[in-house]
Amino acid sequence: MDTTFEKDLEAKGYIDEPVDPTLDLVAEIQRLKKEKNAVILAHYYQDAEIQDIADYIGDSLGLSQQAAKTDAEVIVFAGVHFMAETAKILSPSKKVLLPDLKAGCSLSDSCPPHLFAKFKEQYPDHLVITYVNCTAELKALSDIVCTSSNAVEIVESLPKDQKIIFGPDRNLGDYVKKKTGRDLVLWNGACMVHEIFSQDKIVDLRSQFPQAKFIAHPECEEHILSQADYIGSTSGMLKYTIENPAQQFIVATESGILHQMQKASPTKTFIPAPPNNVCACNDCPHMKLNTLEKLYNCLYYELPEVDLPADVVVRARKPIERMLEISERFGL
């Protein structure tokens, strides 16, 4: 790669090369996948056109499981940076690509590893459980990683007298405390997407759609969760909408999941819970940085690549593997 190209990538975070407008991007991406023995993993919060071209769509737990077992030589992660890092930790010999390196995470940013390390020192007899939405360095400081799909089961799998630090999401931590009755020491972090839902607007929506089920992600604040008919991870919410006979659902999480809900239940109505601003739905600005054009260039040039220091990979792998082992034990 020439120096200009490299500087441009470093500054922008993605390959900013023009794409021929006459190209059938979907067909070209499919061709490149075969040519390079690549797999595309996409989170539910990605744009619909990216979800539709992915080999696997899922939440953080499902994506971690797929990253650990894929036979592909190249993993293209249509998600945010910490997700691509997790894939690299689980498949260190594979090339892991991210369409836009600046696709970050407000929750991950809310917990700088050096500050968390000092926080951890205050509780030397505590086991550390960290939510997967964090940096590789933070995972390396952990004993077990969890996702919203398995956080309750992971805490319950530990002895009742085990003292626990839970981070970085205080809302998920509060939810786990209530579900398990355990006294967790919480890091004060949060996800910007799940913290701006408007309680008043949701009340108004529920009066407009009195038959609708209100479902929410546990990263939401307690005053939102207290109204919910169902609380669960993105995959849990999707499953609930498929299995529940209700015909209308108000959904409090990032709006990208509605695409899969609608595909799975085309006769049902899905209404995004409104945030406390002028927007009608709640999009993650980081997730939405990825586009089909960036995905094509990423696969074509095999850049940007996500890499990690070998020692971080070794230390971060253990808590993730422990999570996967516990999840398998619980059938998650």
Side-chain angles (χ1 to χ4, degrees):
M1 183 169 65
D2 65 64
T3 308
T4 307
F5 202 107
E6 195 168 27
K7 285 181 179 176
D8 197 43
L9 174 59
E10 188 176 334
K12 294 181 178 178
Y14 63 93
I15 300 292
D16 190 19
E17 287 295 294
V19 176
D20 183 348
T22 65
L23 271 184
D24 181 339
L25 279 182
V26 171
E28 280 299 298
I29 289 170
Q30 298 287 15
R31 180 187 66 79
L32 286 169
K33 278 198 305 181
K34 290 180 182 177
E35 180 184 302
K36 297 171 183 283
N37 187 18
V39 64
I40 297 175
L41 307 182
H43 193 274
Y44 287 128
Y45 296 164
Q46 291 295 288
D47 280 333
E49 59 184 6
I50 292 178
Q51 292 187 41
D52 288 343
I53 203 172
D55 297 289
Y56 179 83
I57 310 148
D59 61 6
S60 295
L61 175 58
L63 292 167
S64 297
Q65 291 166 331
Q66 289 294 317
K69 69 183 184 183
T70 182
D71 293 327
E73 294 176 22
V74 178
I75 298 173
V76 183
F77 217 113
V80 293
H81 201 273
F82 78 79
M83 296 177 177
E85 285 186 338
T86 302
K88 187 64 179 178
I89 291 163
L90 291 168
S91 297
S93 63
K94 300 182 188 303
K95 180 176 283 190
V96 177
L97 308 174
L98 185 66
D100 193 326
L101 289 176
K102 295 192 176 180
C105 171
S106 59
L107 175 55
S108 180
D109 291 345
S110 73
C111 191
H114 69 285
L115 295 182
F116 187 82
K118 290 182 179 179
F119 178 76
K120 178 182 171 182
E121 287 173 3
Q122 299 173 46
Y123 306 95
D125 56 346
H126 284 53
L127 182 140
V128 177
I129 299 177
T130 52
Y131 187 30
V132 71
N133 298 33
C134 65
T135 63
E137 289 83 358
L138 197 68
K139 291 178 176 73
L141 291 169
S142 310
D143 296 294
I144 312 176
V145 169
C146 74
T147 73
S148 54
S149 294
N150 60 23
V152 169
E153 287 81 1
I154 283 175
V155 169
E156 288 182 334
S157 75
L158 301 171
K160 292 192 183 298
D161 60 352
Q162 175 63 62
K163 296 177 180 178
I164 299 169
I165 294 172
F166 188 95
D169 192 288
R170 63 173 178 266
N171 294 321
L172 179 59
D174 273 331
Y175 172 74
V176 173
K177 283 175 73 171
K178 288 182 176 67
K179 291 289 284 186
T180 63
R182 305 289 284 270
D183 183 21
L184 310 180
V185 175
L186 304 181
W187 175 268
N188 190 27
C191 164
M192 60 182 281
V193 172
H194 290 97
E195 282 229 310
I196 61 170
F197 287 111
S198 166
Q199 185 171 6
D200 291 341
K201 290 180 182 178
I202 290 169
V203 169
D204 288 344
L205 260 186
R206 297 198 79 176
S207 65
Q208 292 176 49
F209 300 94
Q211 301 304 313
K213 295 291 185 182
F214 175 51
I215 61 176
H217 193 282
E219 286 182 40
C220 294
E221 293 177 296
E222 203 282 328
H223 67 274
I224 299 296
L225 296 181
S226 65
Q227 304 178 54
D229 297 298
Y230 173 80
I231 301 166
S233 66
T234 42
S235 60
M237 295 167 80
L238 176 59
K239 184 179 179 184
Y240 180 84
T241 62
I242 293 169
E243 296 178 351
N244 192 281
Q247 293 300 300
Q248 298 174 330
F249 297 87
I250 299 168
V251 184
T253 190
E254 212 276 352
S255 62
I257 187 63
L258 271 68
H259 178 60
Q260 292 302 318
M261 290 177 174
Q262 199 70 71
K263 284 177 72 173
S265 305
T267 64
K268 296 182 180 182
T269 301
F270 300 97
I271 306 140
N276 193 19
N277 55 32
V278 296
C279 299
C281 62
N282 209 8
D283 289 343
C284 173
H286 302 288
M287 285 283 187
K288 296 315 195 240
L289 283 177
N290 295 316
T291 64
L292 209 57
E293 289 76 16
K294 288 179 184 177
L295 181 58
Y296 167 76
N297 275 335
C298 172
L299 195 48
Y300 183 86
Y301 293 99
E302 297 188 27
L303 290 168
E305 183 175 0
V306 172
D307 210 351
L308 292 166
D311 67 308
V312 172
V313 169
V314 170
R315 288 185 290 121
R317 188 181 178 94
K318 291 177 183 177
I320 298 173
E321 286 181 336
R322 193 166 177 193
M323 171 190 76
L324 295 174
E325 289 163 8
I326 296 170
S327 297
E328 187 175 2
R329 194 191 316 158
F330 281 90
L332 300 173

